[in-house]
Structure formats: C-alpha cells, structure tokens
Amino acid sequence: MLTFLTVFLLLVYATPPTPLVLSSTPDHFLKKSSRRPPKAPQEYTELTHPLPSDRLTPSCTVDLLHHSFANTMNRPPFTVPYCPPPISTCPHPWSRVVLDFQAECRGEQYDRVAGLWLGGAELLRTTTAEPTKSGIFWRVHKDITRYSSLLEQSNLNVTMMLENVVNKIYTGVYHVKVTLFFYRENVVRVPSITTYPGFSANLGLNSEKLYGPPADLIMPISDDGNRGFWFQIESESDLRFKKIRFPRNAYRAILELYVSFHGDDEFWYSNPPNSYIRTNNLTISRGNGCYREVFVTIDGKYIGSEVPFPVIFTGGINPLFWEPVVAIGAFNLPSYDFDLTPFLGLVLDGKAHEIGIGVDDGISYWLVDANLHIWLDHGSSKVEAKSVVYVNPALRVQRIENFKLLDGKFRTGARRKSRFAGWVKTSIGNLTTVVSREFKFRNMLRFNNNGTYKSVTQRVKVKRGVKVMNEMGIVVTRVFVKRIYPLNVITLTLPYTKKSTLPYTEKKDRYMLESKKKDRYMLVTNVSHALREKCLIGMFQSLVINRQVSSGWIKVEDHSVLSGEANTTQSYNFQDEYGCYSRSVEAKNGRLLSDNTTLSCLSAF
C-alpha cells in the first residue's frame, strides 16, 4: 500500500497526464484475468441483516426463472410465464414472501445492471459483480410481501433484463436462478419497515398492525418492455410518464420508485460544471455539475422528489475495493416511496392521469420506473377525497465556483421542504393524511495539482413524515424516517508509462476493436460512504448504521485494471426494540481478513 507520505510526494512531483484522463475520474473499470484470483469460486456479498424468515422452512417455493445471460446486448429481455403456488397446498394470504436471487459467473466481464419484473412491476433492481477466472457467486434475499396481490395472479409474465456482451475478450456469462419462498405462519413479530436494508422505502407498508395487508392493486408505471420495463432518461428535460386511471374506491396510494444512474451520470456527484469543461477545452461529456434530484409529478404537478443514495457499482472507482464485499446497495438497489394519498382528490374522477418521472440536472443516462400500490375500499364503489394542503416552495440551489484553469473548488448546496395533506371519506370513516418531506444537500468538488487530484465531499440529510388522523383529529398512524448518507471520494492520477502487460493475442483482438492509442496511468483511490437511518412507526423504532471505508491504488490501461492493491473495512449495525445484529468485515486484495457477527447492542436509541 502507498503511504500518505508517498502519495504526497507523488502528488507534488509527478508530471500530470493529459486532461482527458485526469478529468474523467472516478471512472468505471474492468478487472483483468491476469491478476491472481482464488483457486476455487469465491462468494461475494453485500452486508445486511438477516430477514426474520431466514431460519424458517417455507410453506412452499416457486422456481421463478433459471437462465444464462450471454450475448444479450440490444436483445429483448428474457421472459417466462408466472405460475403462483397451488391454492390447495399453499393458499394466500401469505404472512411473508421472500425473493431468492442467485448468480454465478467466471471469466472476464464488466458489471451489468439488471431488473426483474412481474407483470411489468419491478421486484428487484440489481447489478452484477465483476467475475474472476476461477469464478464468483452471490445471493440476494429480498422481502417482497408487498407485491402479494401480483403474486396471487396467474396471467402474468416474469421478465428479466440483463444486457451482456460475450466475445473473445469479454468471456463472462451470468447464470441466474430466482426462487420465491412463501410463508403462511406468522414469522414476524414487528413491522417490516424496509425493502432495502437501511432504507425505509416501504414506510411500514407490510405492517398489518398499522396499515393492514399489502395493497389490493399494483399498477406499473413503466415502459413497454421491449428493452426492459424501465424508462431511459437522457437529459434534464426528458420527462417520462404513463397514463393511469385510478379506481374510484381507492383510499390509499403509494408510489414506489426505482432508479439507477449510468453512463455519463454514473458518478454524478463528481461531475464538474459545464463552465469548467468549456474553459479548459475538455472533451469529456460528464458535466452539468454535481446535483441530481429525481422527481415525480401528477399531471405536471410536483408531488415529491429524492436525492438518490450514491450506489457504487462493482466496476466503479476501483473495482478491487469490491471483492468480495461489494459497496452499499450494489446487489439490492433501494427503492423510494411517495405517499400519494393527499392527492387522491385530484385523481378519483374516472379519468386518466399522467404520472411523470424526471431528473433535475440529469444527463445520459438514468433508468427509472415505478409501481403504484393502491388500497381499495371494499365497502364502497366510490370514495370522496379532497386535497387541502399543498405547500411546496421552490427548490433552493446555491452554486459557488472558484477555479483557475484545471484547479479550483465548486460548492453546491440545495434544500427542499414540502408539506401535503388531504382527506378521504371511506366506508370506515374520514381519514386525513399529512405528508412532510425535507432534504438538505451539500457537495464540495475540488481539483488540485493541475487537476490530477480530485476530491468529492458530499452529505445528504433526509426527513420523511406521514401522519394519519381520524375525523376527531386523533392520530391513528405516525411514521417518521431520518436518513443521513455522507460520501467522500478521492482520486489521484499519476503517470504510468510501462509497456502493456496484455498478452499478444489479446492485444491483437483489442487492436481490432479499439483505437491504437492506449491511456496508461496509475490511480490512487480512497472512498468512504455510509448510511445512518432511524425509523419510527407508531411505537416501533429501528436504527441502521452502515459504514464502509476503502483505500488502494490501481495501474490502468484504458479501462482495464492491470494490477493494484485494495483494502476495505465495513461495519453494519441494526437494532430495534426486539434485538440487535452487527457484522464487521475487513478485506484486502480480494481476501477476507476478518468477518465477525454479534447479536449484542452497541448503543441505545
């Protein structure tokens, strides 16, 4: 490992490479098979806490799909019919349903994004790990009880999109198996508050104690499915929408948003402003500043937004960091919930309404779609609703630039605070829902040493609240979520002029596919990111603290990692009123040095 003194001396005395290389970091890379992998296939993992059902035997299982994704780029997604479990042996309602995703791969391959849909509604957004010559495998468990109304149906298709390229250079084929586990007995004593560990995206959606059973109806807000059901957003003016006709007896609605960022916006939090690019005559397309906000509209009216958690894929920044422990969220990307109940008064008229999704300041490209969860009043064919409060001050964004040539710093701050309320008169009474949302965003982007040193310091703080009151003004349900997710990224680009270490045959293949010019450089990298979330649902509390720190260096030719070193430490802590779970790991150069798990609580709420 390079010491801090060594890095400092290199920073001071090194001759910088061309601006094209240094201004493109952090970047996306491919691990070379010339590195020494373990002799046997290695398991990769994303740290999370076990599901309550993990130690129980499921009442029944359904094999959802089993497929190998080889040369699938620009081809239709893989689709098979869905068959629910037999009513005779495993009738619904189910107390819990868990999706078990297993994958394996060997060879040389970039990481890929994948989506899994049932009837056009997304169940899982994931990315793959970059394989080794001896092979890797991994597993994802996700609670999907909230999709029970879909899982009961038999006239649906299962669709999975995983675009991959297989040729003489990229040899890795991703073999995927997905199984559903259904549980009939009560396996959970407390509300299930998370779709993704550390994100309260569900806001208690599956808690019968608070909200009743899962939604009666799920309507996908998605594309036609020819290239997967996600919409692809290319710019900040690119608003994607779908027309939906709400049932007139809907009394509650939640929009669940899936989002991931790729291409020029994969590292959006590190993108310089366009003025920096123009002034220095750079040819890079990764610009438009470092602020992104995904927003949702109904008939053009703003109803909510989210600054997404900055998930780092396994080829990102330094791919050696993410073996065998991947970055936070890489295998199970979070979804984000928006309570639309205050807006039902605008849409329960029997007409079609447009639900739109866009990305403020976004550039190419973002993959987005959504699931609309709707609860129906079975005691009435029509309910009365009205939106009574709409407080949404304009977004406040402050940008300060101070740079000379390739060096300088850029500060970005943003804040949004909104409050919505509406009532619904149902067969069981009049309920008023008040939704409050607030976030604060800070980002500092800095370039030094003729742009070869780049640092990102970002902090996002989010508060979400939902309060439901009856006609007497008594609060019957209260949800409050507070999340903080800081991110720090440092990259130092140094000259590396050693001749290529690629085998002659591979050089020849690459010559046919790429240009003759090869960019060679050394990259010193440091990443620290974390998530702290506290959630209150009624009398139930939970706390998640997830921290990950990585440091190392790589030698790069074009986008291939020839060699390097990496060290990653991570601590994951979860606690609620019923118990605690903690796990800490340390990995170095692809090997786990330590892996400790405890059920003791580190601190009180």
Side-chain angles (χ1 to χ4, degrees):
M1 297 287 290
L2 290 174
T3 65
F4 287 109
L5 177 59
T6 305
V7 171
F8 175 77
L9 293 175
L10 288 170
L11 175 62
V12 173
Y13 295 109
T15 302
T18 65
L20 177 62
V21 175
L22 63 93
S23 299
S24 298
T25 60
D27 210 338
H28 207 92
F29 301 102
L30 176 71
K31 294 185 301 187
K32 294 302 302 173
S33 58
S34 57
R35 298 177 62 250
R36 294 182 179 179
K39 294 181 180 180
Q42 187 178 22
E43 182 177 11
Y44 280 42
T45 186
E46 178 185 341
L47 264 60
T48 180
H49 60 271
L51 296 177
S53 55
D54 283 351
R55 295 186 179 183
L56 300 177
T57 302
S59 303
C60 56
T61 63
V62 171
D63 293 330
L64 208 59
L65 66 83
H66 196 175
H67 188 68
S68 296
F69 293 86
N71 205 24
T72 55
M73 187 65 67
N74 298 321
R75 296 184 180 181
F78 177 72
T79 301
V80 293
Y82 170 70
C83 296
I87 297 179
S88 59
T89 58
C90 196
H92 56 78
W94 307 290
S95 64
R96 196 64 53 185
V97 184
V98 174
L99 184 150
D100 179 56
F101 178 96
Q102 300 182 50
E104 60 182 45
C105 186
R106 69 176 65 236
E108 191 170 299
Q109 191 58 263
Y110 276 105
D111 60 354
R112 307 293 182 181
V113 63
L116 181 70
W117 296 267
L118 177 60
E122 188 160 5
L123 305 182
L124 175 69
R125 179 76 60 93
T126 185
T127 62
T128 66
E130 291 194 350
T132 62
K133 186 176 181 180
S134 56
I136 64 171
F137 62 96
W138 68 95
R139 190 173 192 175
V140 179
H141 266 191
K142 180 179 180 179
D143 188 324
I144 60 168
T145 312
R146 72 183 307 186
Y147 307 104
S148 291
S149 61
L150 282 177
L151 298 169
E152 297 170 2
Q153 302 179 38
S154 58
N155 58 339
L156 304 176
N157 286 331
V158 177
T159 301
M160 184 168 176
M161 188 72 175
L162 195 165
E163 290 190 290
N164 195 24
V165 174
V166 174
N167 52 33
K168 292 181 179 180
I169 299 173
Y170 309 114
T171 59
V173 176
Y174 288 104
H175 307 282
V176 176
K177 180 181 179 182
V178 182
T179 306
L180 300 184
F181 298 145
F182 295 82
Y183 300 85
R184 288 205 25 90
E185 64 272 23
N186 184 17
V187 298
V188 184
R189 299 174 297 173
V190 296
S192 175
I193 61 172
T194 55
T195 48
Y196 158 68
F199 277 82
S200 294
N202 281 359
L203 292 180
L205 190 62
N206 294 330
S207 170
E208 296 187 12
K209 179 180 178 182
L210 296 172
Y211 286 122
D216 299 290
L217 180 66
I218 299 176
M219 306 174 73
I221 312 298
S222 55
D223 209 348
D224 55 19
N226 292 329
R227 292 288 305 279
F229 286 97
W230 40 43
F231 296 114
Q232 184 164 318
I233 292 181
E234 298 289 343
S235 68
E236 55 189 326
S237 61
D238 192 4
L239 180 68
R240 299 305 181 100
F241 64 87
K242 186 173 183 179
K243 291 188 175 182
I244 292 293
R245 199 178 305 272
F246 285 73
R248 304 198 73 173
N249 63 336
Y251 74 89
R252 184 170 181 251
I254 294 283
L255 186 74
E256 177 195 17
L257 175 68
Y258 282 90
V259 57
S260 57
F261 28 88
H262 311 274
D264 290 336
D265 247 2
E266 179 174 345
F267 308 99
W268 55 267
Y269 42 82
S270 70
N271 283 14
N274 295 333
S275 57
Y276 177 84
I277 297 174
R278 288 193 302 267
T279 300
N280 290 290
N281 295 317
L282 302 178
T283 58
I284 62 172
S285 55
R286 288 165 46 183
N288 225 32
C290 56
Y291 178 72
R292 301 293 183 268
E293 180 185 1
V294 186
F295 63 88
V296 179
T297 63
I298 296 180
D299 295 331
K301 189 182 185 73
Y302 170 92
I303 59 97
S305 61
E306 193 81 41
V307 176
F309 181 81
V311 178
I312 303 172
F313 308 138
T314 60
I317 304 179
N318 181 343
L320 307 188
F321 286 164
W322 321 122
E323 50 178 15
V325 179
V326 301
I328 300 172
F331 282 164
N332 188 2
L333 274 73
S335 62
Y336 307 90
D337 279 11
F338 301 89
D339 196 322
L340 305 189
T341 308
F343 302 96
L344 288 179
L346 306 177
V347 297
L348 297 184
D349 54 6
K351 300 178 181 180
H353 295 269
E354 289 183 355
I355 297 182
I357 307 172
V359 182
D360 280 333
D361 290 356
I363 58 178
S364 181
Y365 63 98
W366 292 64
L367 298 176
V368 299
D369 61 22
N371 303 325
L372 180 59
H373 299 251
I374 298 178
W375 285 256
L376 304 176
D377 183 358
H378 297 287
S380 175
S381 61
K382 180 181 178 180
V383 304
E384 185 180 355
K386 185 176 182 179
S387 177
V388 295
V389 175
Y390 184 88
V391 178
N392 181 43
L395 172 68
R396 291 184 292 174
V397 181
Q398 183 181 37
R399 296 180 173 91
I400 301 176
E401 300 181 6
N402 182 13
F403 71 97
K404 183 178 181 181
L405 298 179
L406 289 170
D407 290 348
K409 57 184 178 181
F410 309 88
R411 296 179 184 269
T412 305
R415 181 177 182 180
R416 188 191 286 274
K417 186 176 183 179
S418 58
R419 185 172 181 266
F420 312 116
W423 55 260
V424 180
K425 189 176 182 180
T426 72
S427 61
I428 60 174
N430 192 315
L431 299 175
T432 299
T433 300
V434 180
V435 175
S436 60
R437 308 175 68 90
E438 179 182 4
F439 71 80
K440 298 178 182 178
F441 172 93
R442 297 201 312 266
N443 181 292
M444 166 70 84
L445 174 63
R446 186 188 300 269
F447 292 96
N448 288 326
N449 199 45
N450 200 25
T452 58
Y453 176 91
K454 182 177 183 179
S455 68
V456 177
T457 303
Q458 179 171 290
R459 180 181 173 89
V460 180
K461 185 177 181 179
V462 180
K463 293 181 181 180
R464 300 286 184 259
V466 177
K467 180 172 63 176
V468 181
M469 298 175 290
N470 61 19
E471 57 267 27
M472 294 181 293
I474 299 175
V475 176
V476 295
T477 299
R478 185 190 300 272
V479 176
F480 179 76
V481 178
K482 180 180 179 181
R483 297 199 301 266
I484 300 174
Y485 36 99
L487 171 71
N488 296 278
V489 179
I490 296 175
T491 59
L492 170 61
T493 308
L494 304 170
Y496 170 58
T497 57
K498 185 178 179 180
K499 294 183 179 180
S500 171
T501 60
L502 297 176
Y504 171 77
T505 55
E506 187 169 337
K507 283 184 182 178
K508 186 176 180 181
D509 288 334
R510 285 185 180 271
Y511 178 83
M512 301 298 294
L513 297 175
E514 304 174 357
S515 70
K516 295 181 181 180
K517 183 179 178 180
K518 304 258 183 209
D519 291 321
R520 299 187 182 95
Y521 56 96
M522 181 176 178
L523 196 65
V524 180
T525 52
N526 288 272
V527 175
S528 66
H529 59 152
L531 169 68
R532 178 186 176 93
E533 178 192 83
K534 187 173 184 179
C535 183
L536 173 67
I537 302 181
M539 300 300 294
F540 175 82
Q541 295 186 71
S542 69
L543 177 66
V544 171
I545 303 175
N546 195 357
R547 299 189 183 97
Q548 195 171 43
V549 178
S550 303
S551 61
W553 59 270
I554 50 176
K555 292 181 178 179
V556 178
E557 181 176 88
D558 287 333
H559 284 78
S560 296
V561 174
L562 305 180
S563 62
E565 292 188 2
N567 187 86
T568 295
T569 59
Q570 184 174 1
S571 63
Y572 180 93
N573 301 286
F574 170 83
Q575 69 180 87
D576 58 24
E577 295 174 343
Y578 293 86
C580 300
Y581 173 86
S582 298
R583 185 179 177 186
S584 61
V585 300
E586 182 178 2
K588 183 175 183 180
N589 298 333
R591 282 18 179 225
L592 271 179
L593 300 182
S594 63
D595 186 352
N596 301 300
T597 300
T598 179
L599 300 181
S600 60
C601 297
L602 299 182
S603 62
F605 283 111

